[in-house]
Amino acid sequence: MLRYVAHRLLASIPVLFLVTLISFGLMQLVPGDPAILIAGLQATPEEVERVRRQLGLDQPFHVQLFSWYAHLLRGDLGTSLLLGRDVLDVILERLPVSFSIALYALVLTVAVGLFAGIVAALRQNSLVDQLVMTVALLGVSLPNFWLALMLVVLFAVQLGWLPSGGYVDFREDFWGWLASATLPAVSLAMLQMGLLARITRSTMLEVLRQDYIRTARAKGLPARLVVGKHALKNVMIPVVTVLGIVTSLLLSGSVVIETIFSIPGIGSLLGSSILRRDYPVIQGGLLFVAAMLLVINLLVDLLYAWLDPRIRYGHGE
Amino acid sequence: MASEALSSPLDAVAAPPRRRFPTLRRLLRHKLFLVGAFLFSIVLVAALFADLLIQVDPNRISMRHKFRPPGSEWIFGTDNFGRSQWSRVVKGAQLSLAIGFGVVLLNALFGTLLGALAGYFRALDNLLMRIMDAFMAFPVILLAIGITAALGPGSINAVIALAAVYTPRTARIVRASVLVVREQAYVEAARAMGASNLRILLRHVLPNCTAPLIVQLTFIFAYSVLSEAVLSFLGLGAAPPTPTWGNIIAEGRLYIREAPWITLIPGLALAMTVLGLNLLGDGLRDVLDPRLKVQQ
Amino acid sequence: MTTSPAPVLSVQGLTTELRTERGRFNAVDGVSFDLWPGEVLGIVGESGCGKSMTALSILGLVPQPPGRVVAGRVLFEGRDLLQLPERELQRIRGAKIAMIFQEPMTSLNPVFTVGEQILETLRQHERLGRRAARDRAIELLAKVGIPSPAERLESYPHELSGGMRQRVMIAIALACNPKVLLADEPTTALDVTIQAQILDLLERLQAELGMAVVLITHDLGIVAEFAHRVLVMYAGRVIEEGPVEAIFEAPAHPYTRGLLESLPDPESDRERLQVIPGSVPQLGELGPGCRFAPRCALAGPACRQADPPLARAGARAVACFRAELATPPVERVA
Ligand SMILES: Nc1ncnc2c1ncn2[C@@H]1O[C@H](COP(=O)(O)OP(=O)(O)OP(=O)(O)O)[C@@H](O)[C@H]1O
Ligand SMILES: [Mg+2]
């Protein structure tokens, strides 16, 4: 197990390095003179010059790269052009907000997706199965930002049950947070719920056909244990491996969803930085999210290894 | 021994008569595939014959007619500038599919190239795959946002960004197939007979990757259409008067209380396209490559 | 063999239907037999003749879909297992009637330890304290010949060889001292040397515990060596039944005879020859006549018109119109 952890940690170092390189490279993609673009067309030559110096764009390429890493190592992701503040500070300040919504969506995804997938598999080809699979298919096909708008029309505008936007801090008012976070979390979770339900169902069907399930039944175990213990633990192994993808999709979705619901998280920060060309925020935000995902994927792999003894004892890859 | 008796009932069961186009036949018996084909072909027809289907210029402003609900006069209603929603949504279909198609094309080209290189040339494999991993470490939309934000908004840039984001995923699949195929006896044989690497790749290895590739590209088509809508919703697609579905939804959002149809209809069109493509992908996977599981 | 007044298990007219894409057919078709206390009953037949389905049907384990038991009775301790509610059946499975399977490599759950898989059976059926259960599990592993059993409790199946896994399966099956053991080809997937070890183990344990065993196999050699009585199955039916010595001495059914002739000669190293041409008919593509007729050298017109019933004479039974013609004595007897 320790060897496996060490191996995974080592393997993620080059990837992390490349991730930082890609984030740096994004700035190089900006066509023409980025200083002019950033400062705006109405800017005076002095202002453009100031921006250029502030971003180090007057330096040769290798110096820029070197200073990018020098700053990174000190945990410095740059300064927001618009807010004039440290990018990492801004991100960390907004992290709990995004985190609370994403966690809510993740819990919904796993609870509903897993449950629906298992029920569908146990009642294969029944009406329930067909219903679950249809909803799951819609979940992976409906655009989440559009779904969010429709949910707002229905639950906020027509029925008035939930707020149409805004965010209440969970540390101040939990129920207020729950009300404000429900529509965002549901629209954010739809895609992953559908995905997880589909994967869980097909995995469950596969597992239920295995010989060891027949053995469990032949031992006289009740269905509760055959399914809830013997099948479930085997289903969890492949399901856990998609948790990384699920989280990645959640973070992808948070840009539009946070923007639509005016939630002051990292997603909406990125959303608003795009149009204002606040490149350091975009660059730093992307890097931060990718690094976070690498850590999450590492945790997922460890969970996977813990669930599957064949890997835990070093027989797997 | 009773040989005549042996060959009659048993053999008939063992070897069903061979038919032509077995794959096509199985696809045509796959109900959900047919539903997908139906949904997608509606959008495809709208896109191909957009100019015939549209009577009113999608950008013609007519303030007298603004906020007309869907009805006999305006099939899909009008928006805040009195523009025909029908014209805009149909034109949007054209743009969406063109963009999706562009992404799929670039993606097939580069994905196959990178995947084949990585799978076939051991020396390149590690480096290429680490780079792919790094690209895949970013959430899809976020990286696409980053790239389009850097390149500047616009349809072409959206295509480039989406192709860049999805290519590593395709490359992985091609690589995996190549790794399997290259060990196979007939490839060994070709190599032994002195065939060049390029020739082996083109003649033997790649044709065997087509099944997973087709399935993958169908799903990529679906994600691209969806992601492009997100990009243009965020203002990173074609500039506003251009009627992309994302643009229409973004504008309609402001009038969602008084004119919900502006948002509803392009969203339904988008959902229909993506649903159709997903069903096509599921069907193709079931028939062409049953071992593949549900993927991202 | 002890002659006891009542059989432990009595199977009567068991019929299991399978519905597949290409139609429905009876994988088990009116199978009847009695299993007497302390007896080892061999069931033989080629691959696909319904041996496993018979065993699974008895315990209500037929995969559904595609299978379903449609007729028959399985009498055990005065009750018909086929009529019992699932809860009641669960009390019998693994406790009074246990089963071991053909595929040792896949029959154990890969994500639980060997110990857990034995202990959960004990927990399910018996009231034992933690310590007592653990001791019993160790004792069981020792009994099936697993070295350092206490340490093995913590092992996962992938750490064991096929033979060891089958021993674990046997330990699980014996955990609650069952009255009946259904052993479905327990050695087919194993090396020849391991095969012999496992069979010897089963024989020893059977004698020790006095349970009745249904030993399913397609290897007549195994039947000759370990079984008291034998049931020959063909395409879902019992076509011959009787004491092992009698049947090996004088097989009545042409199919049984063919099987015996395909046994390897102990003198030579040659592999078993396939003497019976053709293979077991699949699915419901069967005419009105005897199911073996298409492959039978002796089949006459009568054989193609009606299906011969299983006719009894003393301890023996055979389903063949031409039974008398098929009985030149076979010299080689195990
Ligand atoms: N899950 C299933 N689906 C469809 N047909 C099945 C299934 N299981 C068994 N069958 C069919 O039922 C028949 C009897 O199968 P069974 O497994 O009982 O044979 P067997 O005598 O145990 O053979 P073997 O020696 O190979 O284990 C065969 O024709 C087989 O093809
Ligand atoms: Mg069998």
Side-chain angles (χ1 to χ4, degrees), chain A residues 211-212 214-215 217-223 225 229-231 233-234 237 307-310 312-313 315, chain C residues 56 60-61 90 93-94 101 103 106-112 116-117 120-121 123-125 156 158 169 172:
Chain A
D211 290 338
Y212 53 77
R214 190 182 55 190
T215 305
R217 292 183 62 209
K219 290 200 275 192
L221 299 185
L225 287 179
K229 179 179 174 183
H230 284 264
K233 196 163 176 198
N234 282 283
I237 293 171
L307 278 171
D308 191 339
R310 284 161 294 191
R312 204 186 323 162
Y313 292 97
H315 287 252
Chain C
L56 293 172
L61 293 175
Q90 279 164 11
R93 285 187 203 133
F101 298 98
E103 307 85 6
T106 53
S107 290
L108 290 169
N109 195 326
V111 300
F112 293 105
E116 174 58 22
Q117 296 187 59
E120 69 177 347
T121 317
R123 271 200 300 269
Q124 192 61 39
H125 299 293
Y156 284 91
H158 73 270
M169 281 299 294
I172 292 173

Side-chain angles (χ1 to χ4, degrees), chain C residues 29-63:
Chain C
D29 199 357
V31 166
S32 302
F33 63 85
D34 287 334
L35 182 69
W36 302 90
E39 172 185 49
V40 177
L41 173 69
I43 299 186
V44 287
E46 281 167 294
S47 196
C49 70
K51 305 182 296 291
S52 297
M53 275 297 158
T54 304
L56 293 172
S57 304
I58 290 171
L59 276 183
L61 293 175
V62 174

Side-chain angles (χ1 to χ4, degrees), chain B residues 4-35:
Chain B
E4 37 75 43
L6 262 182
S7 57
S8 54
L10 306 179
D11 292 1
V13 178
R18 283 201 153 207
R19 298 220 177 87
R20 286 195 301 159
F21 309 120
T23 308
L24 192 65
R25 275 170 184 281
R26 275 165 61 208
L27 278 175
L28 292 179
R29 260 185 293 150
H30 196 294
K31 285 201 197 82
L32 288 178
F33 177 85
L34 294 180
V35 174

Side-chain angles (χ1 to χ4, degrees), chain C residues 18-20 25 27-28 45-54 56 63 65-67 102-103 184-185 216-218 280-283:
Chain C
L18 285 182
R19 293 178 186 211
T20 65
F25 73 110
V28 179
E46 281 167 294
S47 196
C49 70
K51 305 182 296 291
S52 297
M53 275 297 158
T54 304
L56 293 172
Q102 211 163 334
E103 307 85 6
D184 185 5
E185 309 202 29
I216 295 174
T217 175
H218 52 239
V280 185
Q282 290 288 312
L283 306 185

Side-chain angles (χ1 to χ4, degrees), chain A residues 201-233:
Chain A
R201 176 179 179 272
S202 66
T203 313
M204 188 59 149
L205 286 176
E206 178 107 13
V207 166
L208 288 177
R209 277 198 298 271
Q210 300 298 311
D211 290 338
Y212 53 77
I213 295 299
R214 190 182 55 190
T215 305
R217 292 183 62 209
K219 290 200 275 192
L221 299 185
R224 173 173 52 85
L225 287 179
V226 175
V227 174
K229 179 179 174 183
H230 284 264
L232 194 61
K233 196 163 176 198

Side-chain angles (χ1 to χ4, degrees), chain C residues 256-322:
Chain C
T256 317
R257 207 181 146 206
L259 281 183
L260 280 170
E261 280 167 4
S262 65
L263 269 179
D265 193 327
E267 316 288 71
S268 84
D269 283 343
R270 272 186 308 148
E271 277 294 296
R272 196 167 89 181
L273 352 137
Q274 181 70 38
V275 186
I276 313 173
S279 55
V280 185
Q282 290 288 312
L283 306 185
E285 311 269 323
L286 298 158
C290 172
R291 293 175 182 202
F292 186 59
R295 296 169 72 187
C296 182
L298 305 174
C303 301
R304 300 210 165 91
Q305 256 141 46
D307 203 8
L310 192 67
R312 271 183 198 283
R316 299 190 55 172
V318 64
C320 180
F321 292 132
R322 328 256 319 197

